[in-house]
Amino acid sequence: MNDIKIDYTNAMADAIGKKHGVSESELDGLAPQAKEALLWLQELRAQKTVGFFDLPSIDTAPFKKFASRVREKYENLVVLGIGGSALGTTAVHSALNSAVWNLQRKRKRNGYPKLFVPDNIDPDWFDEILRHVDPKKTLFNVISKSGSTAETMSQFMIVHHHLKEKLKGKWKKKVILTTDAEKGVLREIAGEFGLTTFNVPDNVGGRFSLFTAVGLVPLACVGVDIDSLLAGAASMAERCLNKNLRENPALLFAALHYLADTKKKKSISVMMPYSSKLAGVADWYRQLWAESLGKRYDLNGKEVNTGQTPVKALGVTDQHSQVQLYVEGPFDKLVTFIEVENFNRESVIPAVFTDKPTLQYLAGKSLNQLIATEMKGTEYALTTHNRPNLAIRLPKLDAHTLGQLLFMLETATAFAGKLYGIDPFDQPGVEFGKKYTYAMMGRDGYEQLKGELLKSAGAEKRKTV
Ligand code: PA5
């Protein structure tokens, strides 16, 4: 059995008391709403308005075929995307491929290209990456569902200009586009120049799009076993259809977070993997939980201002940075650990410095034992200080368990949205910021908004020192 497990003992009142822990009766009390959430998702699937839950059965053949060509031809793959168009790729790549992937020779990478995901527009940083990669040996995958995101499109425009200068007409072979099947300027550009494209399904939002071409194409290109990733997601999908709240991992994760937030004032959700390779998953979760659940209005238009603040932490590193706060600071957090029960390697601490008695307790033990013990230590410290915590346990870290984990978190996010009574699939707050950028950067159609913004900026007195 390769199933991941959620251990929620320490989130419950039995372990940490009623004030901070969820009681069995509170969980029972939420069961009808949880059942409704399950039915609601089933309905959305049937209406085809929400597509993410059915992605585990996506046809991967075209992605794998394309990836084998990329493997033969390219030294570098550069993904130009942001938010949901970038975070999943980074999370899976860093979880499953070597920590020094880009430093290794091609042979060591099994012939696959290096991967760069410059998901920011820091001009220095982006230029340094662009100058580093040889245009002849580099493929650029521009990923934007809307085709209008200013960051991605400006990067694409820079890359296009750079490639045209270096390669003339051959630039077209070095760019592929992943975007909406019909709409958007990227789709227009693809048609005009005959570029290779992949589709983002209309009913899958950015942060739920990892298991589409958005994530699967670049991941297949760097050798990730995408079929195994999807098989893991599929096995989790089955578990997430269970009507029993205590047997459905996504429903339980959602319910515990919802109750912790609304009944126990735990307004912060900390995601703390005890694995550097899973640090990217915590980044990905941060976007998923924040953008999906942080909403001003509920579905009836009532102002509710929902959402826990997701925080990323890393075990053991943040034991020396954050854990003091988590153990003794405000009672406002629900901490989720991610544990890898069996690492792929065993790293034994040798018996050296034998004349130093204070170090001998480490000799002959392993980093594996040390990291497991330290996680237990943090669980223990939190629990004895009445701080709720959960542990998601992965028997080992591979494509299958990772697929389960990511799919569980996506589904839990959708369920949590229903429990809060908000729409987890929209992001009006993000769009608000995007519109500001369009207006102030002079995009056609945004003249009136620009005028209003300039007026209010002029009226405002800056406070500076
Ligand atoms: O989840 C979302 O919808 C967002 O985070 C988007 O992924 C992000 O804004 C990028 O959008 P796009 O893919 O349209 O460029």
Side-chain angles (χ1 to χ4, degrees), residues 217-372:
V217 169
L219 289 169
C221 288
V222 291
V224 167
D225 181 352
I226 56 171
D227 288 328
S228 206
L229 192 74
L230 290 170
S235 76
M236 179 53 72
E238 232 169 88
R239 295 174 69 191
C240 294
L241 292 174
N242 194 314
K243 292 195 182 91
N244 184 336
L245 173 56
R246 285 179 179 75
E247 286 170 20
N248 182 323
L251 215 43
L252 188 70
F253 185 94
L256 289 171
H257 278 75
Y258 173 74
L259 288 171
D261 181 18
T262 57
K263 299 252 188 265
K264 312 287 166 183
K265 300 199 176 114
K266 309 301 170 219
S267 58
I268 296 174
S269 164
V270 177
M271 183 59 76
M272 187 170 189
Y274 268 69
S275 154
S276 292
K277 289 189 157 276
L278 291 174
V281 169
D283 275 325
W284 172 86
Y285 168 78
R286 214 160 54 105
Q287 185 219 9
L288 184 67
W289 204 248
E291 262 186 32
S292 304
L293 305 178
K295 298 291 154 72
R296 181 172 179 182
Y297 298 110
D298 71 8
L299 291 170
N300 300 318
K302 188 174 157 224
E303 189 152 357
V304 283
N305 302 110
T306 57
Q308 281 180 315
T309 302
V311 166
K312 170 200 179 178
L314 179 63
V316 301
T317 310
D318 285 330
Q319 283 183 208
H320 303 271
S321 161
Q322 299 295 295
V323 167
Q324 170 62 33
L325 173 75
Y326 299 172
V327 173
E328 292 193 348
F331 284 86
D332 56 0
K333 297 170 197 69
L334 169 57
V335 177
T336 300
F337 299 109
I338 310 178
E339 181 182 28
V340 178
E341 291 178 317
N342 297 288
F343 285 87
N344 293 321
R345 292 177 194 78
E346 166 102 356
S347 181
V348 175
I349 307 163
V352 293
F353 305 121
T354 47
D355 58 334
K356 311 281 182 230
T358 52
L359 295 180
Q360 292 319 301
Y361 76 101
L362 293 171
K365 312 273 175 37
S366 65
L367 293 186
N368 309 55
Q369 273 171 290
L370 186 58
I371 198 168

Side-chain angles (χ1 to χ4, degrees), residues 82-85 144-147 149 206-207 287 291 427 430 434:
I82 197 164
S85 295
S144 175
K145 182 176 175 181
S146 61
T149 305
R207 56 194 174 276
Q287 185 219 9
E291 262 186 32
Q427 54 285 321
V430 181
K434 283 186 178 181

Side-chain angles (χ1 to χ4, degrees), residues 96-115:
L96 300 178
N97 284 335
S98 167
V100 290
W101 182 262
N102 280 0
L103 302 176
Q104 290 175 322
R105 287 179 190 283
K106 198 162 186 203
R107 193 172 43 82
K108 271 275 197 184
R109 284 183 266 118
N110 291 323
Y112 293 106
K114 295 178 188 171
L115 177 68

Side-chain angles (χ1 to χ4, degrees), residues 44-92:
L44 294 179
R45 283 177 69 201
Q47 293 161 7
K48 305 228 177 292
T49 37
V50 167
F52 86 90
F53 199 90
D54 295 291
L55 291 172
S57 59
I58 195 170
D59 177 15
T60 57
F63 309 152
K64 290 186 291 189
K65 193 167 160 207
F66 181 77
S68 68
R69 295 209 326 260
V70 172
R71 186 184 188 184
E72 272 166 34
K73 280 190 165 163
Y74 292 102
E75 179 62 25
N76 308 297
L77 172 66
V78 180
V79 168
L80 302 180
I82 197 164
S85 295
L87 288 163
T89 297
T90 300
V92 176

